[in-house]
Amino acid sequence: MHTNAADPKAENILRVATVNVNGIRAAHRRDMASWFANRDIDIITLQEVRAPEDILHKMLTDIVGDEWEHVYIHSDEAQEKGRAGVAIASRLKPLETRTGLADGVNDSGRWVEADFNAPDGSQITVASVYVHSGEVDTPRQDDKYEFLDAMVDYLPKMKSHKNHAVITGDLNVGHTELDIKNWKGNVKNSGFLPEERAYFDKFFSPEQLNWVDVGRRMAGEVPGPYTWWSYRGKAFDNDAGWRIDYQVATPQLAEKVTKAVVDRAPSYDARFSDHSPLVVDYQF
């Protein structure tokens, strides 16, 4: 069983969690509900749900409860059966939802966003994003670069319309050497290629796209905290992980962050996914 101590929220906090569930059916079976029950989350974004909408809704209802009726999924099982699929569930009724990143981009089941009213009456846009894992010298890597190129084009437009916006999810790139335990052994592998990391330089540079990596800002310049560990070997026990799950906020929203926590399971057998949730508090 995966449990966390209750984490009380201050007034006017919007608590946003993101997690790659590695299959909603598996996460449900491994008791994701016991983690969720103690976290007092307002909005949760999921990646790799790998299920049609009716099954996702049933699994999520079991996990988050009946009052969470507002679930949106973007998944095209015909294109990538058994892969991808992103969703947003919330206590709050979304004002509007949108799917897809750009015309002609292979973003099937990889981008959904929704607008909500924040506690102070302002609006916040939350996106659930699953970037391709990629594979060097294959079409999968080409798809990954195409998707990242589309993000470079879209992020300025997103920021120009919304002061408060956050991109959450499994972005499948470790930005710096602090983000992968064994970075030296991965410099030629997808997820830590210099070409991929350059996109994240662009995302986070104040002189370029000027978005904020909330997890890194709150943790400081320390190794991790990692969010994904291979199921193989002793990766989890040795904390040989990767930090590839993000909340990437506009500067105005990033100023409202009071806490960012990776909910690492207490033991290998208590995990409901090979990823751990990243939970962020925004004070309005």
Side-chain angles (χ1 to χ4, degrees):
M1 180 177 288
H2 190 312
T3 58
N4 287 82
D7 185 8
K9 285 190 306 191
E11 194 173 351
N12 294 330
I13 288 284
L14 187 72
R15 182 167 288 173
V16 180
T18 187
V19 62
N20 179 322
V21 292
N22 196 8
I24 190 66
R25 296 174 184 89
H28 176 267
R29 187 174 65 249
R30 292 173 176 145
D31 198 23
M32 179 177 170
S34 70
W35 161 76
F36 185 84
N38 291 316
R39 294 303 274 125
D40 200 10
I41 289 160
D42 298 299
I43 300 171
I44 186 167
T45 72
L46 312 175
Q47 301 84 45
E48 274 202 282
V49 296
R50 301 206 300 262
E53 191 165 358
D54 58 338
I55 292 175
L56 170 70
H57 194 276
K58 182 179 185 302
M59 299 288 107
L60 266 180
T61 298
D62 284 350
I63 292 167
V64 306
D66 291 336
E67 73 276 12
W68 284 49
E69 298 175 358
H70 309 293
V71 178
Y72 200 89
I73 182 173
H74 179 219
S75 182
D76 187 342
E77 295 248 287
Q79 278 196 39
E80 294 192 84
K81 191 168 180 62
R83 297 186 62 81
V86 291
I88 300 173
S90 69
R91 298 180 192 271
L92 314 170
K93 184 176 177 62
L95 306 172
E96 187 178 334
T97 60
R98 295 171 293 279
T99 64
L101 180 54
D103 291 340
V105 173
N106 178 8
D107 60 5
S108 173
R110 294 182 181 276
W111 188 289
V112 62
E113 61 183 64
D115 302 330
F116 300 95
N117 280 326
D120 66 353
S122 65
Q123 281 192 24
I124 179 173
T125 298
V126 179
S128 180
V129 180
Y130 178 48
V131 175
H132 303 69
S133 56
E135 187 178 345
V136 174
D137 296 331
T138 73
R140 294 178 65 189
Q141 192 68 27
D142 296 336
D143 287 343
K144 186 173 189 176
Y145 287 137
E146 181 183 61
F147 192 93
L148 291 170
D149 282 334
M151 285 183 66
V152 169
D153 290 339
Y154 181 68
L155 263 58
K157 300 171 190 172
M158 190 177 185
K159 190 163 66 169
S160 70
H161 290 107
K162 304 287 182 183
N163 284 337
H164 299 151
V166 60
I167 293 157
T168 72
D170 179 0
L171 304 189
N172 261 317
V173 175
H175 180 209
T176 75
E177 295 169 4
L178 294 174
D179 296 322
I180 301 180
K181 181 73 167 282
N182 179 27
W183 66 266
K184 290 180 180 177
N186 283 287
V187 290
K188 295 184 179 179
N189 293 330
S190 185
F192 200 62
L193 298 171
E195 298 87 347
E196 295 171 334
R197 296 163 60 202
Y199 283 95
F200 284 64
D201 291 341
K202 190 173 292 187
F203 294 158
F204 303 139
S205 167
E207 289 74 37
Q208 298 188 64
L209 300 188
N210 193 28
W211 287 65
V212 178
D213 178 352
V214 169
R216 176 53 64 213
R217 173 183 279 189
M218 296 304 287
E221 296 299 304
V222 299
Y226 307 123
T227 62
W228 175 81
W229 303 260
S230 171
Y231 275 133
R232 297 192 300 271
K234 295 282 188 180
F236 185 79
D237 293 339
N238 296 330
D239 201 23
W242 296 48
R243 191 181 75 93
I244 54 176
D245 301 270
Y246 293 80
Q247 294 202 29
V248 178
T250 55
Q252 296 94 328
L253 184 59
E255 290 303 313
K256 297 183 179 297
V257 175
T258 60
K259 185 185 297 184
V261 179
V262 175
D263 281 359
R264 189 181 192 274
S267 62
Y268 178 92
D269 59 357
R271 308 168 73 191
F272 65 80
S273 171
D274 52 353
H275 294 253
S276 287
L278 172 62
V279 185
V280 177
D281 284 359
Y282 299 90
Q283 173 85 62
F284 284 86

